[in-house]
Amino acid sequence: MRLTRIGGPTVLVELDGWRVLVDPTFDAPGRRYDFGWGTSSRKTIGPALGPDEVGPVDLVLVSHDHHADNLDDRGRTFLRSAGRVVTTRSGGRRLGAESIVGPVDGLRAGEHVTLAAPRAGLPDLEITATPCRHGPPLSRPIVGEVVGFAVRRAGESRVALWASGDTVLYAGLRRAVGSLDIDVAIVNVGGVRFGLTGPLRYTMDGREAVELIALAAPRVAALAHYDGWSHFRDGEAGLRRAVDGARPEIRDRARWLVDGVAVEV
């Protein structure tokens, strides 16, 4: 497996010949985006690679389509060239209605789909949606539906890749990762907060990410979505403090990706 961090949550995963893109975001920095209910955020860092530099992609995993830090305007345009898109159940309906994608599968947490190999010699992949809660308790009607993704080679029980999606650490997520045998994890962090909602957090901070890595025990935990936006309050500094202060086995699993550089894992 090879990972290339493009920026924010956007990571290109090359797995056994499959080219999988997680949460495509390609807009330039500087713009402020509305997240609803009076909240907004400014993009501060642009992508390390543009859509044309990424090349052809067989599968795009969209943890949620309704926040621009996970799917922005140029990311939506990119979906037109994707071989397949997997997202939330509600996101699948919205993206399908926009007629901007080809085959799109919308999943609720716990549901799965098996995708046939796009080329000879590649394995089929099974994609299972995993639970997320993108905010405090009872916030889903406001923040919307979000999922993570467990990617397995068809017929295998081990999870080759788990993408956490945007989530806080909560009981449902703890139970889910406790049941998975994970090779490589992409863990979204950032500690999102908004001035309007005070201390309420909408994604994990560094301390929670360290706890999640300890629970999930992946061979590699690639860290993502912790910089590039003004609503990340814990950010890279908080994440590095937490990882540096963690137990040696957690520090050994954590992998800091350099934007635009393909890393063998």
Side-chain angles (χ1 to χ4, degrees):
M1 191 186 303
R2 185 162 61 177
L3 304 180
T4 306
R5 185 176 186 259
I6 294 170
T10 311
V11 180
L12 175 65
V13 181
E14 296 170 270
L15 171 62
D16 293 345
W18 281 80
R19 291 173 54 83
V20 181
L21 191 66
V22 181
D23 284 340
T25 55
F26 293 110
D27 285 0
R31 178 177 164 189
R32 179 169 290 277
Y33 296 80
D34 178 21
F35 287 90
W37 299 85
T39 62
S40 66
S41 183
R42 184 178 300 280
K43 187 172 186 178
T44 59
I45 301 175
L49 299 174
D52 294 340
E53 297 172 290
V54 170
V57 167
D58 303 305
L59 169 64
V60 179
L61 303 176
V62 181
S63 65
H64 57 303
D65 68 304
H66 53 281
H67 292 158
D69 59 326
N70 292 83
L71 183 66
D72 58 19
D73 291 344
R74 295 189 75 194
R76 286 175 181 272
T77 299
F78 185 85
L79 296 182
R80 297 172 182 166
S81 65
R84 194 75 170 260
V85 177
V86 180
T87 186
T88 62
R89 178 64 64 86
S90 57
R93 290 194 297 267
R94 286 189 293 266
L95 293 176
E98 293 175 21
S99 300
I100 64 171
V101 298
V104 55
D105 294 279
L107 303 178
R108 293 191 179 97
E111 296 179 336
H112 71 274
V113 61
T114 300
L115 306 183
R119 292 175 293 283
L122 276 59
D124 295 347
L125 293 183
E126 181 181 287
I127 316 296
T128 303
T130 60
C132 291
R133 197 182 77 200
H134 199 2
L138 306 179
S139 62
R140 179 175 167 177
I142 297 174
V143 301
E145 185 183 12
V146 184
V147 294
F149 300 99
V151 181
R152 296 176 174 88
R153 299 172 182 90
E156 294 188 1
S157 59
R158 189 173 201 199
V159 175
L161 174 75
W162 177 58
S164 73
D166 282 11
T167 184
V168 295
L169 184 59
Y170 70 108
L173 182 58
R174 289 187 177 94
R175 287 193 297 271
V177 299
S179 67
L180 300 177
D181 178 14
I182 301 171
D183 183 26
V184 175
I186 299 174
V187 181
N188 287 3
V189 199
V192 167
R193 288 189 289 118
F194 298 99
L196 183 69
T197 53
L200 297 180
R201 275 191 299 102
Y202 297 87
T203 61
M204 290 182 289
D205 60 12
R207 177 187 59 78
E208 288 184 325
V210 164
E211 183 180 347
L212 178 65
I213 293 169
L215 288 168
R219 180 177 59 83
V220 171
L223 304 167
H225 211 18
Y226 53 78
D227 63 358
W229 289 83
S230 62
H231 63 321
F232 292 152
R233 300 302 175 86
D234 191 55
E236 181 176 354
L239 180 56
R240 285 191 180 274
R241 283 194 301 270
V243 171
D244 290 346
R247 301 192 307 270
E249 61 268 27
I250 303 301
R251 296 198 302 271
D252 291 344
R253 298 178 194 274
R255 185 71 58 90
W256 296 91
L257 303 178
V258 178
D259 285 0
V261 177
V263 176
E264 299 280 351
V265 294

